[in-house]
């Protein structure tokens, strides 16, 4: 029996239809020698700490780090029934075809089950990119050997285990240290959520601390025999700041006076056609950015709609992609895709008729370094009436960006005129559309307004056809009072862009390079969840379209290690995970380094006295957009930060289930508790002034760790 394992039931049904598997069973479909079954996402998950040892139910500093000798998986309770179906079928299989999503996580979904059931037979890989019949048939005709993709599983396995070790241990560490300083909430940390929240905190701090600087612009009216136009002042370098602004109003007034009603000359005049190619089809992140700007959708709403268009409607290809190009093999489907779009929506007939399906633009590439190509419509004719408004909008955008690839470039005539008068220089810029080209598509479909800034068009400005050395007069000088403005708060769209282009926010050059190559932090599939997770943990809050850092984020993020806040950690991880995916490193070596790093982090923070979370007493959010600095908060901070290290460590220890002891002298090697600072055994001592007993480190005076003795 050939067994095909899919990721979800809908995917399984689509594959079964093409394979001719029509006989229904519980959790599978069969036909001839083929059987198709499916998972429900991940059917297995890593053990929780207390499943390795019940003592880990209580969070205790002395238990850290928690690192299993071997990582164990359990069946998700909600998926137990389907797991049994899949496991039983694997035992009967002669050959297993992995048909989950063709990426790192998809590989892991199937391979963890194969490993758990001790399957040792042949494995093949079906590389699905879309779920319409044509795409499935193409994938079935190009099945790969499982040995070619198993390293993706090892990479996913390493990523999952590393996230477990880092997230679990450091979240417990900083939560317990936070409780010792009076903070009642949790402090979740992770290699992606922490740098993401840090981005928002840093941006909000820039805005909070921004001091506007006044500057002055000068506009004049230029009059020529061929026509009149407005020009802007080119601020002399001697008085310009680094942004080219004039900060001296008196100088601007003098310039205005010097050029008022003066004779001038056209110093230069250029006009040239500029071609502009259509923007590429969407990957998930660019689609989420577009939808956020155009309709205000959250990243999660866009992902859900795109996933539904892929799975339920079969209208678009795989959405969780980081690629905006198409393989050359897709070129043969162009006419069929255009036909399906028109068949679903006859109003597109005129646009489709104007498209050139033989135009092989920059979107088609012979080699794509990605498991999936851009999001495009499929050859299946979708039922638009069955789509909800969000799905319809997303589909409309996807089909438009695909259709634009088969139109000529837009052509603009750009003009630049430089004027000299009264000892000063002025510039005017113009731009008019000579040929709409591809832009007829978004204009016709009403889809302007969501494109990224570099794809937005300037307003049409027509300048007269002046020539160099033409005479002119300058009149009506007007000084505009301006002020520098702070950067804008992050929105869903701009935060997604920052996560994708995180290299811009990293200082270390070696990490910048890696992050450029790995497309930032998180993946297109996980970034929406990361943002939602940060909101759930009260690190970020929504205020209209803005994403703002909460008081909790302002209090916690500055106290976390720089390595956790920078995307450098993710960069280093991704470099190693990529080596695992290419069989250049082992999971074991990678995990040894991760575990060593976690141990050093715990040791370092237990020896410090400066981890004090102040300025927020609980998980509560701040008022959206409100001021987060106050005298009351400053008092809390100064009070908390004066606590001694021993008090912090004592609070952590006592709140972490310190075992009770008798008030008798105990030798340092006879079962005494471990020092919270250095880990050495402690000695029961008596305070000579107060007479009370306390635990003191046996390494005194080199280590001054103390802890209260439970009488």
């Amino acid at each position: 029996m050939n067994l095909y394992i899919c990721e979800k039931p809908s995917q399984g049904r689509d594959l079964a239809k093409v394979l001719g598997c029509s006989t229904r069973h519980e959790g599978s479909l069969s036909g001839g020698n083929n059987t198709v079954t499916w998972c429900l996402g991940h059917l297995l998950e890593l053990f929780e700490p207390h499943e390795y040892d019940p003592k880990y139910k209580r969070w205790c500093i002395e238990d850290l780090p928690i690192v299993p000798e071997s990582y164990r998986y359990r069946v998700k309770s909600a998926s137990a029934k389907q797991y049994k179906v899949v496991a039983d079928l694997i035992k009967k299989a002669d050959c297993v075809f992995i048909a989950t999503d063709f990426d790192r996580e998809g590989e892991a979904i199937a391979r963890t089950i194969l490993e758990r059931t001790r399957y040792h037979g042949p494995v093949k890989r079906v590389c699905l990119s879309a779920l319409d019949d044509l795409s499935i048939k193409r994938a079935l005709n190009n099945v790969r050997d499982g040995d070619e993709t198993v390293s993706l599983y090892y990479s996913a396995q390493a990523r999952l285990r590393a996230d477990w070790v880092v997230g679990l241990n450091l979240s417990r560490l900083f939560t317990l240290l936070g409780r010792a300083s009076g903070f009642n909430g949790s402090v979740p940390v992770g290699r992606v959520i922490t740098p993401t929240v840090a981005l928002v905190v840093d941006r909000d701090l820039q805005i909070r601390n921004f001091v506007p600087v006044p500057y002055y612009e000068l506009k004049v009216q230029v009059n020529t025999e061929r026509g009149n136009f407005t020009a802007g002042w080119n601020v002399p370098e001697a008085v310009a700041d680094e942004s080219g602004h004039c900060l001296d109003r008196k100088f601007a007034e003098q310039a205005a006076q010097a050029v008022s009603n003066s004779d001038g000359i056209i110093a230069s005049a250029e006009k040239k056609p500029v071609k502009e190619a259509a923007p590429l089809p969407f990957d998930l992140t660019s689609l989420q950015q577009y939808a956020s700007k155009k309709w205000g959708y959250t990243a999660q709403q866009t992902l859900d709609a795109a996933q539904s268009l892929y799975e339920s409607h079969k209208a678009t290809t795989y959405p969780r992609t980081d690629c905006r190009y198409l393989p050359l093999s897709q070129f043969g489907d162009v006419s069929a895709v255009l036909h399906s779009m028109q068949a679903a929506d006859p109003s597109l007939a005129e646009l489709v008729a104007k498209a050139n399906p033989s135009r092989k633009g920059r979107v088609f590439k012979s080699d794509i370094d990605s498991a999936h190509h851009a999001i495009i419509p499929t050859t299946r004719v979708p039922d638009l009436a069955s789509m909800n408004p969000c799905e319809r909008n997303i589909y409309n955008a996807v089909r438009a960006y695909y259709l634009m690839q088969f139109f000529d470039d837009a052509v603009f005539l750009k003009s630049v005129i430089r004027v000299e008068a009264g000892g000063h220089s002025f510039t005017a810029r113009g731009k008019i559309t000579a040929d709409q080209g591809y832009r007829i598509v978004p204009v016709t479909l009403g889809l302007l307004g969501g494109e990224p800034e570099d794809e937005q068009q300037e307003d049409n400005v027509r300048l007269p056809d002046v020539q160099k050395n033409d005479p002119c007069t300058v009149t009506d000088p007007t000084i505009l009072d301006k002020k520098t403005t702070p950067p804008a708060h992050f929105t869903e769209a701009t935060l997604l862009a920052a996560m994708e282009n995180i290299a811009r926010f990293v200082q270390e050059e070696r990490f910048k390079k890696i992050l450029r190559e790995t497309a930032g932090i998180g993946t297109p599939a996980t970034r929406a969840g990361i943002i939602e997770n940060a909101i759930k943990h009260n690190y970020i809050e929504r205020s209209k379209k803005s994403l703002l850092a909460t008081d909790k984020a302002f209090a916690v993020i500055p106290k976390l290690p720089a390595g956790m806040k920078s995307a450098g950690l993710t960069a280093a991880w991704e470099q190693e995970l990529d080596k695992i995916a290419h069989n250049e490193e082992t999971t074991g070596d990678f995990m040894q380094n991760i575990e060593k790093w976690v141990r050093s982090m715990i040791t370092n923070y237990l020896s410090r006295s400066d981890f004090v979370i102040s300025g927020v007493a609980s998980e509560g959010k701040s008022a959206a957009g409100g001021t987060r600095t106050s005298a009351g908060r400053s008092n809390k901070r100064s009070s908390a930060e004066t606590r001694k290290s021993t008090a912090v460590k004592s609070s952590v220890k006592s709140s972490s289930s310190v075992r009770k002891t008798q008030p008798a002298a105990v030798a340092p090697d006879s079962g005494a508790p471990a020092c919270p600072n250095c880990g050495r055994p402690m000695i029961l001592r008596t305070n000579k002034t107060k007479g009370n007993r306390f635990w003191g480190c046996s390494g005194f005076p080199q280590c001054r760790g103390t802890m209260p003795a439970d009488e």
Side-chain angles (χ1 to χ4, degrees), residues 1 62 86 115 159 194 215 301 405 464 508 529 538:
M1 176 190 69
E62 63 265 26
V86 177
E115 190 172 279
R159 194 276 311 160
T194 301
Y215 68 96
Q301 286 175 318
Q405 308 308 310
E508 306 92 336
N538 293 331

Side-chain angles (χ1 to χ4, degrees), residues 400-553:
Y401 269 56
Y402 179 79
L403 185 56
M404 284 190 277
Q405 308 308 310
F406 308 102
F407 282 77
D408 291 337
D409 296 346
V411 180
F412 303 93
L413 290 178
K414 286 190 174 183
S415 303
V416 180
I417 301 175
R418 189 167 62 85
V419 177
E420 291 182 355
H424 291 273
S425 172
F426 299 85
T427 299
R429 301 181 187 277
K431 180 179 179 180
I432 59 173
T433 302
D435 185 346
Q436 273 195 308
Y438 78 86
R439 284 180 55 77
I440 191 175
V441 177
V443 169
T444 302
L445 297 180
L447 285 172
L448 294 179
E451 61 272 15
E453 285 79 358
D454 59 353
E455 291 169 4
Q456 292 179 0
Q457 304 303 320
E458 304 169 14
D459 292 333
N460 277 348
V461 176
R462 184 182 294 274
L463 296 178
D465 293 324
V466 298
Q467 302 294 321
K468 183 179 179 179
N469 295 324
D470 280 356
C472 64
T473 58
V474 174
T475 61
D476 302 320
T478 303
I479 295 176
L480 305 176
D481 291 292
K482 297 289 188 77
K483 285 187 177 181
T484 56
T485 57
H489 287 290
F490 277 118
T491 64
E492 200 99 10
T494 57
L495 183 55
L496 285 168
M499 295 171 73
E500 183 177 40
N501 300 291
I502 194 70
R504 291 183 296 181
F505 301 89
V506 175
Q507 302 301 318
E508 306 92 336
E509 280 302 320
R510 64 192 182 100
F511 290 149
K512 277 180 175 289
K513 183 177 185 297
I514 298 168
L515 288 165
R516 290 191 194 104
E517 294 172 352
T518 58
I521 56 173
T523 67
T526 61
R527 287 179 189 133
I530 292 161
I531 294 173
E532 294 300 326
N533 209 25
I535 292 171
K536 183 183 76 172
H537 288 301
N538 293 331
Y539 282 134
I540 296 174
E541 60 186 350
R542 286 192 175 94
S543 177
K544 296 181 180 178
K545 285 190 175 183
S546 296
L547 296 174
L548 307 177
T550 63
D551 278 346
K552 177 182 176 181

Side-chain angles (χ1 to χ4, degrees), residues 294-308:
K294 180 68 178 175
W295 300 292
Y297 295 158
T298 68
Q300 191 63 50
Q301 286 175 318
T302 302
L303 174 57
D304 290 344
Q307 194 71 27
S308 179

